[in-house]
Amino acid sequence: MLPNDPMILLSYVNTKLRDRDASLDQFCDREGAEEAALCAKLAEIGFVYNPQRNQFV
């Protein structure tokens, strides 16, 4: 289950992308998360996924 608080979610996702997953697709598959919903939630606090950096910035 992913964290509900957007800032904690950001930290969790970026940590997993850095340490474990090679892409956002891989993260979402492993976590059972919907990519569009995850991106929308983090966009609400001003973050977008950067595939070159493999993190939300």
Side-chain angles (χ1 to χ4, degrees):
M1 186 160 150
L2 295 175
N4 207 22
D5 179 272
M7 291 305 290
I8 295 172
L9 177 63
L10 172 67
S11 177
Y12 178 82
V13 172
N14 275 344
T15 297
K16 294 300 182 185
L17 289 171
R18 180 190 70 220
D19 294 345
R20 183 188 74 186
D21 299 315
S23 68
L24 184 57
D25 287 337
Q26 187 179 33
F27 171 84
C28 288
D29 286 345
R30 198 181 294 240
E31 295 287 333
E34 184 186 329
E35 186 174 332
L38 176 64
C39 289
K41 184 157 190 157
L42 292 176
E44 289 176 6
I45 59 169
F47 290 87
V48 295
Y49 180 67
N50 180 315
Q52 288 79 24
R53 294 180 65 178
N54 192 34
Q55 68 180 22
F56 282 86
V57 294

